Amino acid sequence: MSIITPITFYIPCLFGLEGLVGDELRRLHMKNIRVENGHVLCDGKMEDIARLNINLRCGERVLILLNTFFATSFDALFENTKALPWENWVGADGAFPVKGYSLDSALHSVPDCQKIIKKAIATRLAQKFGTDQLPETGAKYQVQFAIMQDRASLLLDTSGAGLHKRGYRAVGVKAPLRETLAAAMVTLSRFRGKDPFCDPFCGSGTIAIEAALIAKNRAPGLDRSFDAQKWKCVPAASWMDAADEAMDKEFDGTYDIWGGDISPKAIEIARGNAEKAGVEDLVRFEVADATKFHRDSTYGQLVTNPPYGERLLEKDEAAELYRAFGQTAAKLPEKWRLYILSSHPEFEKCYGSFAAKKRKLYNGMIKCDLFMYYN
């Protein structure tokens, strides 16, 4: 197999996090970084497949962009797909499922596009491997396509499960916060481990755990596996090298990271998740009422994701909760910084004061604002 470099990497992310992903790629010394809506592109080499998957905190996946072309007919889609050197990536026994989407394009039937792309890849591989039998019993090479305004992109997914699935949250609570978004919120708060850090609505502990990983500078993907680890075209040693490189950058230290929740069950789950993440000695979780929250420290950072209330009655309950929490938070010393994520349309009114800054983010498909307060 002969892979032409540089490889173009396509990193999808939640809307609002593109700049943070771009910053992560710069810290990893990637080349030709292009920040676009919903994703970030960069150039790299084969060894970077491991480095990106292991190190990225805010990106959702690591995809390889193979080609982009115009296709207004199934013949064009077939021929352009077949022209790509799939044999350089997919092994003779490799499984290559196809999924994707089409928007505002002549080729609007997704099932038909899937069939055409699958057939084109199979035709190419059968010719190159000199066989009519493609058992697809080996490693998985997930093919993705995106067709927008007749422009088709073909990609390979190196990650498998999304990068937000760090491996530590085997059990969650209602409305869990995606790990990538939690890491982004901590990053936006500029927490690096020096200040006291609190989440008074900690739920399953995601924000506090991500804060501990950031304070320790521990790569979030060290304790999980990725599809590309089974690819013959990716040097096996690159995964060990990337893990060693990441672990060499870790810090030792003690940190003041605290999470509280009114639910004893949530605290039990949070402690278990922290143990799975290997940060149980860095985070304290306690049963606590957020409306009675207080801290003795004269400075610190509070990053939290209180209940939203998606239904009408729940929205009223959430409004009351915000009101009580706002009165409590106002009593914190003036050097505290607060970052509160909410989709409630009248959060600031309920909370009792306007944020110094707001940033639009998405928790899955829920449009939210990150309200930033500087006491």
Side-chain angles (χ1 to χ4, degrees):
M1 296 181 181
S2 176
I3 305 297
I4 298 174
T5 55
I7 297 169
T8 299
F9 291 104
Y10 180 106
I11 316 296
C13 61
L14 296 173
F15 285 107
L17 305 189
E18 298 90 346
L20 297 182
V21 175
D23 290 341
E24 289 190 272
L25 295 175
R26 293 181 189 94
R27 287 193 291 271
L28 290 169
H29 307 292
M30 301 303 293
K31 307 296 183 184
N32 194 20
I33 297 165
R34 291 93 80 196
V35 176
E36 301 179 2
N37 286 337
H39 64 269
V40 183
L41 297 157
C42 67
D43 294 342
K45 52 194 180 204
M46 193 66 74
E47 291 79 4
D48 292 319
I49 293 174
R51 295 179 68 242
L52 292 172
N53 275 295
I54 287 173
N55 286 284
L56 286 178
R57 296 188 192 279
C58 300
E60 291 298 315
R61 293 181 178 278
V62 178
L63 305 176
I64 295 169
L65 179 61
L66 299 178
N67 197 17
T68 298
F69 52 87
F70 282 102
T72 56
S73 69
F74 287 128
D75 284 343
L77 182 62
F78 180 90
E79 293 300 333
N80 279 284
T81 301
K82 181 173 173 287
L84 293 173
W86 295 99
E87 67 280 2
N88 289 349
W89 296 97
V90 183
D93 62 345
F96 50 99
V98 178
K99 65 180 180 180
Y101 63 88
S102 177
L103 296 172
D104 301 323
S105 300
L107 302 179
H108 55 82
S109 171
V110 170
D112 287 339
C113 291
Q114 285 177 296
K115 292 175 185 176
I116 294 296
I117 292 170
K118 180 80 174 183
K119 182 179 178 181
I121 298 171
T123 301
R124 170 89 183 201
L125 292 177
Q127 290 175 352
K128 293 299 179 178
F129 293 135
T131 179
D132 291 331
Q133 301 297 319
L134 296 172
E136 295 195 58
T137 56
K140 179 183 176 183
Y141 301 80
Q142 178 66 63
V143 179
Q144 291 196 21
F145 68 88
I147 306 176
M148 296 184 66
Q149 296 179 334
D150 297 325
R151 190 173 182 85
S153 296
L154 295 177
L155 310 99
L156 278 176
D157 181 2
T158 72
S159 300
L163 296 185
H164 66 280
K165 296 186 178 180
R166 316 286 206 219
Y168 64 74
R169 196 167 69 183
V171 181
V173 294
K174 184 181 178 183
L177 184 71
R178 189 171 288 200
E179 292 89 327
T180 43
L181 180 54
M185 291 167 62
V186 175
T187 301
L188 289 168
S189 79
R190 303 193 300 279
F191 175 71
R192 298 295 181 270
K194 295 181 180 180
D195 302 339
F197 183 96
C198 298
D199 177 6
F201 295 97
C202 73
S204 57
T206 308
I207 292 174
I209 291 170
E210 291 297 324
L213 293 173
I214 287 173
K216 189 176 175 63
N217 201 35
R218 181 172 179 81
L222 283 171
D223 296 326
R224 56 157 289 178
S225 60
F226 307 94
D227 276 2
Q229 285 177 289
K230 296 181 180 179
W231 294 6
K232 294 178 182 178
C233 58
V234 180
S238 67
W239 296 96
M240 186 64 70
D241 291 343
D244 287 343
E245 177 189 37
M247 288 187 286
D248 286 343
K249 295 178 180 178
E250 289 185 12
F251 306 138
D252 290 324
T254 56
Y255 309 100
D256 184 2
I257 303 173
W258 178 90
D261 198 282
I262 200 167
S263 166
K265 179 63 175 177
I267 292 300
E268 180 184 345
I269 292 171
R271 288 172 178 161
N273 289 343
E275 187 174 352
K276 293 184 187 78
V279 296
E280 70 275 13
D281 58 333
L282 305 180
V283 187
R284 292 180 294 115
F285 289 111
E286 297 176 347
V287 177
D289 185 345
T291 64
K292 300 176 183 177
F293 173 81
H294 73 278
R295 274 293 173 268
D296 295 329
S297 174
T298 57
Y299 64 93
Q301 283 147 291
L302 185 153
V303 180
T304 195
N305 174 44
Y308 297 157
E310 289 305 304
R311 292 188 292 271
L312 184 59
L313 180 60
E314 291 178 346
K315 283 186 182 297
D316 292 340
E317 293 173 350
E320 288 299 321
L321 180 62
Y322 296 159
R323 191 170 292 110
F325 178 60
Q327 292 170 356
T328 296
K331 299 174 185 176
L332 286 170
E334 63 179 19
K335 291 185 179 180
W336 274 79
R337 299 196 301 272
L338 287 71
Y339 300 78
I340 306 170
L341 186 72
S342 179
S343 67
H344 197 288
E346 296 185 339
F347 172 81
E348 289 169 298
K349 179 181 177 181
C350 299
Y351 183 76
S353 64
F354 290 101
K357 291 175 63 178
K358 291 191 293 185
R359 181 165 179 148
K360 291 191 183 302
L361 298 173
Y362 282 79
N363 184 8
M365 297 303 294
I366 302 174
K367 184 178 179 180
C368 304
D369 282 296
L370 183 63
F371 298 93
M372 307 180 192
Y373 291 89
Y374 313 117
N375 282 0

